[in-house]
C-alpha cells in the first residue's frame, strides 16, 4: 500500500504515471504535456501563460510585427469578383458607379438622390473592355499598384488601420468628385490607391528611410495625377491622396502611449464625419 501511495501522476492526465515536474508551477506532467523550456520542462498551461505575458513586438504605427497582408489580398479579390460581375451583367457597373447627380431632364439618380452607397461601391468597379480609354488595362494597372504598395503599407499599419485608410481614401476621392464635378460618372480603385501612395510617402519620412526612392514613387503618382486630368477623374485621385495623407499623419505621429489609439480612432471618425457633412451639403444644393 505504501508503494502505491507514492505513485505520482500527471495533473492533466491522472491515469498516466509521471515523475517530472513543471519548472514553473511544480506540478507533475506526462510526456504529452511537456514543453521544453530554457531550464527543464514546463506544462502546456504555463507555456500559454508565459506567451501572454510576453509583449509582442510592434511597428512604429502600432501593428504587430510580421503581419500578413491579408486585407490587400481580400481587396484584390473583391475587385476581381466585381469585375467579373460587370462582364456578366453590364448594368451592374452603372447601378453602383460613383455618380453625384444626373443633369436636369434625366431620371434622378446618384448620391444627391439618396444613393449614398455609390461613394464607396464605385471604388470597387472598373472599366470593361471596349469602354473608355483603358478598358481592361484599368483594373490591371490598379491591381498591380495595390499589390505592390498595399502589402508594404498593410504590414506597417496592421489590418484595422490599413482597412480604415483604404476606405477613407476611397471616400475622400468620391466626396471631392461630388463637390467639384457632381455630374461626372466614374469607377475605379484609383482614389484609394492614391491614398495608399500618400501613406507610403508619409511612412517613409516617419521611419527615416532613404527618401530618394520614396520621392520617385510620389513623383510618379503626382505625374499620373496630372495626366489623369484629361483621361479619368482627377478629382477622385486628388481626394484620395489628401484623405490618405491626413489619416496616415495621424497614424504616424500620434503619441506613442495610451493616447495613441484614441488619437488615431478620433481622426478615423472625424474625417468621414466631415466628408459626409460636405457631401450632404452638396447633395442638398443639387436637389434644392
Amino acid at each position: 500500500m505504501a508503494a502505491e501511495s507514492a505513485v505520482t501522476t500527471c495533473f492533466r492526465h491522472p491515469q498516466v504515471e509521471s515523475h517530472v515536474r513543471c519548472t514553473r508551477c511544480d506540478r507533475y506532467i506526462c510526456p504529452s504535456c511537456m514543453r521544453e523550456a530554457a531550464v527543464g520542462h514546463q506544462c502546456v498551461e504555463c507555456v500559454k501563460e508565459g506567451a501572454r505575458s510576453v509583449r509582442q513586438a510592434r511597428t512604429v504605427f502600432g501593428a504587430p510585427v510580421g503581419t500578413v497582408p491579408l486585407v490587400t489580398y481580400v481587396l484584390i479579390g473583391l475587385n476581381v469578383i466585381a469585375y467579373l460581375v460587370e462582364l456578366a451583367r453590364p448594368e451592374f457597373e452603372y447601378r453602383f458607379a460613383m455618380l453625384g447627380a444626373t443633369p436636369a431632364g434625366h431620371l434622378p439618380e446618384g448620391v444627391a438622390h439618396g444613393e449614398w452607397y455609390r461613394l464607396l461601391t464605385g471604388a470597387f468597379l472598373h472599366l470593361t473592355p471596349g469602354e473608355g480609354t483603358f478598358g481592361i488595362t484599368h483594373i490591371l494597372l490598379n491591381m498591380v499598384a495595390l499589390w505592390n504598395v498595399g502589402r508594404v503599407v498593410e504590414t506597417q499599419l496592421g489590418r484595422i488601420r490599413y482597412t480604415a485608410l483604404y476606405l477613407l481614401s476611397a471616400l475622400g476621392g468620391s466626396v471631392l468628385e461630388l463637390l467639384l464635378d457632381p455630374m461626372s460618372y466614374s469607377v475605379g480603385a484609383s482614389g484609394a490607391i492614391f491614398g495608399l501612395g500618400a501613406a507610403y510617402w508619409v511612412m517613409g519620412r516617419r521611419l527615416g528611410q532613404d527618401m530618394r526612392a520614396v520621392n520617385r514613387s510620389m513623383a510618379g503618382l503626382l505625374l499620373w495625377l496630372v495626366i489623369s486630368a484629361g483621361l479619368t477623374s482627377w478629382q477622385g485621385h486628388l481626394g484620395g491622396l489628401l484623405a490618405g495623407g491626413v489619416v496616415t499623419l495621424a497614424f504616424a505621429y500620434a503619441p506613442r502611449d495610451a493616447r495613441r489609439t484614441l488619437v488615431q480612432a478620433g481622426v478615423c471618425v472625424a474625417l468621414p464625419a466631415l466628408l459626409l457633412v460636405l457631401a450632404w451639403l452638396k447633395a442638398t444644393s443639387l436637389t434644392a
Side-chain angles (χ1 to χ4, degrees), residues 110-135:
V111 175
H113 298 283
E115 297 174 345
W116 291 89
Y117 55 84
R118 291 179 182 266
L119 291 172
L120 284 180
T121 55
F124 291 89
L125 304 174
H126 290 84
L127 299 174
T128 53
E131 180 184 9
T133 306
F134 299 104

Side-chain angles (χ1 to χ4, degrees), residues 2 33-35 45 71 74 91 203 226 231 267 274:
C33 296
M34 293 180 187
R35 300 293 184 270
E45 293 183 2
V71 176
V74 171
E91 67 275 11
M203 291 193 309
V226 174
L231 300 174
V267 172
L274 173 62

